[in-house]
C-alpha cells in the first residue's frame, strides 16, 4: 500500500480524484523537468496537467469520457514561450507587402522590391482601405545593390500614394516623396534625438530614416483604424505564432494604442494565446497603464485578464547592428558611406534618463526589459542598474537584457552579479552572420554575437528569441540556430557558443517562463501547470542537429484545447484521437 501511495503521489493523482479529461501517449514526451526529463504519458483536467508518468499507470485513471490521444511517435513538449517579439507588429506585417529576402520572401534586388509593391497595390485591398502602402522586411544586406532603396526608387512605384517600407531590423524605414511630405520631413527638418534623416548632397531627404526619425514619421503616417480592424490585425499576427507552437507571446515596446487593442481583444474574448505586453517606458501615457487589473508588480503573482497582461516596461538604448546603428565601443568593420572611420553607432537615451528610468522601475517594482545590442549600450545598462540598485537595495525586478548581440565576455560577470537576465538572439547568426563577418563587426568580433556558450559556462539561464517581425516567429529556426549557429553560407559562426538541443529547448520554454515570472505555471510539463503543448514531427533530442531545421510543428494546444493544426482538413493534425474504450 505504501508503494502504491508513493507512486500515486509522484504521478500527481489520487484514487478518489476525478478521471482526466484527456491523456496523451504513444510518443516521446519531453518535460523540461530535470526530475523526470521524459515520460510515456501525460494527463490533463480543466486545462491543467494532473499526471505525468508511465502510460500503464495513467491509463488506469481514465473513464469512458476521457479522450485518449495517440501521438503515433510524434513528440510532445511544453508550448513555446516567446521570449521577445512584437506581436502587434506581426499583425501589421500580415497585412503588409512582403519584402523579405529568401528563405522567407522573394526579394533579392530593388527592381524585385518595386515589382512586389506594384503588385501589392494592384492585388491587395489594404492600400485603398487605409490610404497608404506599407511594406515590411527589406534588407539592404541581401539586395543585389547592397544599399537601401531611396525615395526616388519608391517614387517609381507611385508618387500619388504614400509608400513606407520598413527595414527587416525594424530600425530603419524608407518613404517616398508623398509620404515624406505628409510626415513633414524636408530639407529644413532637424534630426530628432536618437534618429537620423539621411540626405542627398543638397540636404534634401533621400527617403531613408533611421531610428527615431523613422518611428516619429510612421506615427504621423499610420492610418487610423477602427477597434475591430485593430483586433483583426492582432489576430492575423497571433495566427502566425500559433503555427510555430507558441502558446504565450510577447508584445514588446507596445504603444498605448496597441495595448488598447490587446485589451479590447481580451474583453471580447478573442485571444486564444496568452499575451504579455511591455509598453515603451518613454512613451507618454505608459505610467497610467501600470495598474490593475492588467498590471501587477513583481511582488505579486502574474495575473492574466482573458489572456492579456502587462508584464512591465520596455526601454530601448540603441539600434540594430545589421543596420549599423547599434552603439559599440569599437568602430564598425565597414562604416556606412559618408561617416567617419571611427563611427560606432550612437546612443538613443542619455545616461541621466536611463538612470531615472531604472530607479523608477525599482521604486515601483516594475520589471524592465532593455533593448541593448551594442556593447557600449550594454555598458550603459549595467552602469545604470549598478547605481540604481544601491539606492534600492534588495529590490529584484528580474531586469532583462534584450538582444545583447555584442555582449562581451567580461560583461557576463556583471550580468550575473546584478541578476540581469540575458535574452539573446542567436537566430541572428543565420540571417546576418555572414553580413556581420564581412561588413558589420569583422571576422573576429562576429564569432561571438549572442554568446550563449559563454553565458551557459557561468551557469546562467538565458532565453533565445526571434524578435518578430524582424524575422518570422519560427520556433524551429530559433532552435536550430541556437544549436548550430550556421549562417546563410553554412559557415559555423562561433562554434564555442553552440549549446545542446535540450538547453536550447529550455531557453524557449522553461527559462522563457522564468523570464516572465511564470515558471510556476508554464514552461515544463509538471502537475499543476497549464496544459500548454506543442507537438512536433520529430524528437529534437534524438535527430542529428543539422536536421533540426526540418522539424515541423504539427499542433499547438493551449490549456488542453487545440488552437492550431498543420492539416486544416483534420483538426487534430497528424495525431490520432479516439475514445478511451478503443485503447488497450
Amino acid at each position: 500500500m505504501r508503494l502504491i501511495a508513493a507512486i500515486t503521489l509522484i504521478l500527481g493523482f489520487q484514487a478518489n480524484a476525478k478521471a482526466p479529461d484527456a491523456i496523451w501517449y504513444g510518443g516521446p514526451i519531453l518535460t523540461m523537468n530535470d526530475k523526470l526529463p521524459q515520460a510515456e504519458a501525460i494527463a490533463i483536467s480543466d486545462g491543467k496537467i494532473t499526471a505525468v508518468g508511465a502510460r500503464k499507470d495513467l491509463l488506469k485513471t481514465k473513464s469512458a469520457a476521457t479522450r485518449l490521444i495517440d501521438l503515433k511517435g510524434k513528440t510532445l513538449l511544453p508550448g513555446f514561450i516567446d521570449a521577445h517579439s512584437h506581436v502587434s507588429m506581426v499583425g501589421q506585417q500580415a497585412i503588409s507587402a512582403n519584402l523579405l529576402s529568401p528563405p522567407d520572401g522573394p526579394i533579392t534586388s530593388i527592381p524585385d522590391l518595386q515589382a512586389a509593391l506594384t503588385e501589392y497595390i494592384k492585388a491587395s485591398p489594404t492600400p485603398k482601405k487605409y490610404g497608404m502602402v506599407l511594406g515590411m522586411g527589406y534588407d539592404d544586406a541581401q539586395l543585389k545593390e547592397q544599399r537601401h532603396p531611396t525615395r526616388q526608387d519608391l517614387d517609381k512605384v507611385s508618387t500619388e500614394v504614400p509608400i513606407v517600407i520598413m527595414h527587416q531590423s525594424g530600425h530603419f524605414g524608407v518613404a517616398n516623396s508623398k509620404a515624406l511630405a505628409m510626415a513633414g520631413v524636408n530639407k529644413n527638418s532637424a534630426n530628432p534625438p536618437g534618429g537620423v534623416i539621411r540626405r542627398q548632397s543638397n540636404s534634401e531627404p533621400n527617403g531613408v530614416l533611421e531610428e527615431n526619425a523613422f518611428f516619429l514619421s510612421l506615427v504621423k503616417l499610420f492610418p487610423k483604424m477602427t477597434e475591430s480592424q485593430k483586433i483583426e490585425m492582432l489576430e492575423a499576427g497571433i495566427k502566425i505564432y500559433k503555427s510555430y507552437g507558441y502558446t504565450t507571446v510577447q508584445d514588446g515596446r507596445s504603444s498605448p494604442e496597441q495595448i488598447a487593442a490587446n485589451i479590447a481583444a481580451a474583453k471580447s474574448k478573442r485571444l486564444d494565446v496568452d499575451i504579455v505586453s511591455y509598453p515603451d517606458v518613454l512613451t507618454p501615457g505608459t505610467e497610467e497603464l501600470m495598474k490593475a487589473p492588467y498590471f501587477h508588480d513583481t511582488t505579486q503573482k502574474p495575473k492574466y485578464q482573458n489572456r492579456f497582461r502587462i508584464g512591465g516596461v520596455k526601454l530601448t538604448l540603441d539600434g540594430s547592428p545589421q543596420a549599423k546603428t547599434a552603439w559599440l565601443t569599437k568602430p564598425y568593420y565597414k562604416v556606412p558611406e559618408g561617416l567617419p572611420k571611427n563611427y560606432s553607432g550612437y546612443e538613443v537615451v542619455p545616461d541621466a534618463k536611463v538612470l531615472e528610468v531604472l530607479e523608477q522601475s525599482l521604486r515601483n517594482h516594475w520589471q524592465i526589459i532593455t533593448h541593448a545590442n551594442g556593447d557600449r549600450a550594454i555598458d550603459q545598462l549595467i552602469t545604470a542598474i549598478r547605481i540604481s540598485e544601491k539606492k534600492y537595495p534588495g529590490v529584484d525586478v528580474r531586469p532583462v537584457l534584450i538582444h545583447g548581440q555584442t555582449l562581451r565576455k567580461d560583461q557576463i560577470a556583471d550580468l550575473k552579479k546584478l541578476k540581469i537576465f540575458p535574452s539573446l538572439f542567436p537566430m541572428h547568426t543565420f540571417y546576418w552572420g555572414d553580413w556581420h563577418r564581412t561588413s558589420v563587426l569583422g571576422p573576429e568580433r562576429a564569432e561571438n554575437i549572442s554568446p550563449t556558450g559563454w553565458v551557459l559556462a557561468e551557469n546562467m539561464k538565458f532565453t533565445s528569441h526571434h524578435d518578430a517581425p524582424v524575422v518570422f516567429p519560427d520556433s524551429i529556426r530559433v532552435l536550430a540556430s541556437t544549436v548550430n549557429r550556421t549562417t546563410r553560407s553554412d559557415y559555423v559562426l562561433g562554434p564555442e557558443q553552440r549549446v545542446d538541443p535540450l538547453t536550447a529547448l529550455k531557453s524557449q520554454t522553461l527559462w522563457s517562463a522564468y523570464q516572465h515570472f511564470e515558471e510556476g505555471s508554464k514552461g515544463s510539463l509538471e502537475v499543476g501547470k497549464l496544459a500548454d503543448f506543442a507537438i512536433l514531427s520529430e524528437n529534437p533530442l534524438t535527430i542529428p542537429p543539422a536536421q533540426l531545421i526540418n522539424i515541423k510543428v504539427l499542433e499547438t494546444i493551449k490549456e488542453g484545447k487545440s488552437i492550431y493544426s498543420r492539416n486544416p482538413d483534420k483538426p487534430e493534425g497528424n495525431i490520432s484521437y479516439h475514445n478511451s474504450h478503443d485503447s488497450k
Side-chain angles (χ1 to χ4, degrees):
M1 289 295 292
R2 289 181 179 178
L3 178 60
I4 293 173
I7 293 173
T8 297
L9 182 61
I10 291 170
L11 292 175
F13 57 81
Q14 297 177 354
N16 61 355
K18 77 168 189 173
D21 296 335
I23 299 173
W24 279 261
Y25 65 94
I29 295 175
L30 312 181
T31 69
M32 305 302 127
N33 175 10
D34 290 340
K35 295 179 180 178
L36 183 67
Q38 296 197 35
E40 293 180 335
I42 186 166
I44 73 161
S45 285
D46 300 322
K48 291 187 177 181
I49 299 168
T50 56
V52 185
R55 170 180 170 174
K56 62 182 178 61
D57 292 322
L58 268 64
L59 288 179
K60 291 177 183 177
T61 69
K62 68 182 175 62
S63 71
T66 301
R67 289 183 307 137
L68 299 180
I69 303 140
D70 186 350
L71 292 164
K72 292 189 172 181
K74 309 308 179 187
T75 300
L76 183 148
L77 70 163
F80 291 109
I81 297 173
D82 175 22
H84 180 65
S85 73
H86 313 265
V87 65
S88 291
M89 291 183 67
V90 175
Q92 180 178 308
Q93 183 182 45
I95 64 169
S96 303
N98 179 6
L99 304 181
L100 292 165
S101 297
D104 301 321
I107 308 303
T108 60
S109 68
I110 289 175
D112 286 349
L113 182 148
Q114 292 167 323
L117 290 170
T118 300
E119 178 60 27
Y120 176 74
I121 292 170
K122 290 179 181 178
S124 173
T126 303
K128 296 182 182 66
K129 189 175 183 179
Y130 297 120
M132 73 173 294
V133 174
L134 182 64
M136 294 185 68
Y138 86 89
D139 182 7
D140 56 308
Q142 302 304 320
L143 297 179
K144 185 185 302 180
E145 295 82 0
Q146 292 285 286
R147 67 171 176 85
H148 293 273
T150 63
R151 67 178 172 88
Q152 289 87 352
D153 293 320
L154 299 187
D155 284 348
K156 290 179 180 179
V157 177
S158 177
T159 56
E160 302 299 319
V161 180
I163 300 174
V164 178
I165 62 174
M166 184 182 293
H167 190 268
Q168 193 172 3
S169 68
H171 289 259
F172 270 72
V174 187
N176 70 346
S177 296
K178 179 75 171 179
L180 288 172
M182 290 176 63
V185 177
N186 54 54
K187 68 182 300 181
N188 298 316
S189 299
N191 288 336
V196 173
I197 301 169
R198 291 195 180 181
R199 304 174 191 274
Q200 303 168 173
S201 57
N202 62 359
S203 295
E204 288 285 352
N206 73 355
V208 181
L209 305 171
E210 298 182 15
E211 303 295 342
N212 284 342
F214 173 60
F215 303 140
L216 294 172
S217 296
L218 188 61
V219 168
K220 296 176 183 177
L221 291 165
F222 203 77
K224 300 297 181 184
M225 304 175 72
T226 66
E227 182 177 280
S228 177
Q229 289 171 332
K230 291 176 182 177
I231 294 175
E232 288 174 4
M233 189 170 74
L234 178 64
E235 288 178 321
I238 289 171
K239 186 176 180 180
I240 298 174
Y241 284 79
K242 292 189 297 186
S243 72
Y244 290 113
Y246 285 96
T247 51
T248 300
V249 303
Q250 192 185 101
D251 201 21
R253 203 180 184 184
S254 311
S255 69
E257 293 77 17
Q258 289 168 336
I259 289 176
N262 283 320
I263 291 175
K267 285 182 175 180
S268 58
K269 298 186 177 179
R270 301 270 290 271
L271 302 179
D272 55 4
V273 299
D274 289 338
I275 297 179
V276 55
S277 170
Y278 290 84
D280 185 343
V281 70
L282 299 180
T283 297
T286 290
E287 189 163 0
E288 288 73 19
L289 297 169
M290 310 301 287
K291 59 186 179 181
Y294 295 103
F295 172 73
H296 297 85
D297 67 37
T298 57
T299 66
Q300 305 172 71
K301 185 178 179 180
K303 298 175 185 176
Y304 286 89
Q305 297 292 319
N306 294 324
R307 303 205 185 287
F308 176 74
R309 76 178 179 94
I310 295 172
V313 292
K314 171 78 180 291
L315 175 64
T316 300
L317 297 186
D318 69 345
S320 157
Q322 71 268 33
K324 300 184 181 180
T325 56
W327 194 18
L328 306 175
T329 54
K330 297 179 181 179
Y332 281 93
Y333 189 62
K334 293 182 180 178
V335 302
E337 184 178 355
L339 294 176
K341 290 183 178 181
N342 65 349
Y343 171 77
S344 56
Y346 48 87
E347 70 173 18
V348 171
V349 185
D351 290 347
K353 187 64 178 179
V354 176
L355 181 58
E356 177 188 324
V357 167
L358 264 297
E359 290 182 350
Q360 179 187 32
S361 170
L362 293 177
R363 182 171 62 251
N364 293 313
H365 297 274
W366 295 350
Q367 185 182 33
I368 184 165
I369 65 173
T370 303
H371 166 120
N373 267 311
D375 61 332
R376 178 62 186 87
I378 298 169
D379 280 336
Q380 187 183 39
L381 172 64
I382 288 170
T383 299
I385 289 181
R386 183 181 289 118
I387 295 172
S388 61
E389 287 195 344
K390 288 180 180 178
K391 190 170 183 179
Y392 296 95
V395 177
D396 180 14
V397 298
R398 205 171 289 176
V400 181
L401 165 64
I402 297 293
H403 306 322
Q405 289 198 63
T406 59
L407 179 65
R408 302 189 310 266
K409 195 169 188 177
D410 64 284
Q411 291 174 319
I412 294 173
D414 292 319
L415 299 190
K416 187 173 184 178
K417 182 177 180 180
L418 295 170
K419 298 181 180 179
I420 301 172
F421 188 91
S423 182
L424 303 179
F425 200 176
M427 194 180 189
H428 218 274
T429 57
F430 172 77
Y431 282 97
W432 293 284
D434 294 325
W435 180 241
H436 278 298
R437 294 183 71 239
T438 61
S439 185
V440 179
L441 299 171
E444 185 177 344
R445 278 188 292 170
E447 289 290 311
N448 297 310
I449 62 170
S450 292
T452 50
W454 287 348
V455 170
L456 194 64
E458 290 295 323
N459 296 314
M460 294 174 65
K461 299 182 182 76
F462 66 88
T463 56
S464 185
H465 62 252
H466 47 72
D467 200 24
V470 171
V471 293
F472 280 129
D474 186 341
S475 57
I476 303 305
R477 190 170 289 281
V478 174
L479 172 65
S481 296
T482 308
V483 172
N484 296 314
R485 292 180 64 96
T486 51
T487 70
R488 292 176 189 262
S489 66
D490 286 331
Y491 176 84
V492 177
L493 189 65
E496 72 173 294
Q497 304 300 351
R498 293 178 294 184
V499 300
D500 63 272
L502 179 59
T503 296
L505 286 173
K506 284 183 177 179
S507 78
Q508 296 176 256
T509 54
L510 182 59
W511 295 348
S512 291
Y514 175 86
Q515 178 186 308
H516 290 110
F517 285 90
E518 296 187 50
E519 68 273 21
S521 61
K522 297 177 181 176
S524 61
L525 304 182
E526 299 181 62
V527 172
K529 291 194 175 185
L530 295 178
D532 292 356
F533 308 147
I535 298 176
L536 308 183
S537 61
E538 306 286 345
N539 184 345
L541 304 186
T542 59
I543 67 172
Q547 294 180 19
L548 288 171
I549 193 61
N550 298 321
I551 292 175
K552 305 298 182 187
V553 174
L554 301 180
E555 189 172 8
T556 306
I557 296 159
K558 176 62 178 163
E559 295 173 34
K561 180 182 177 182
S562 180
I563 58 174
Y564 164 80
S565 172
R566 189 169 179 80
N567 183 348
D569 297 323
K570 186 180 180 185
E572 64 275 19
N574 296 322
I575 309 305
S576 175
Y577 284 69
H578 47 82
N579 294 327
S580 64
H581 57 73
D582 292 332
S583 180
K584 304 298 182 185

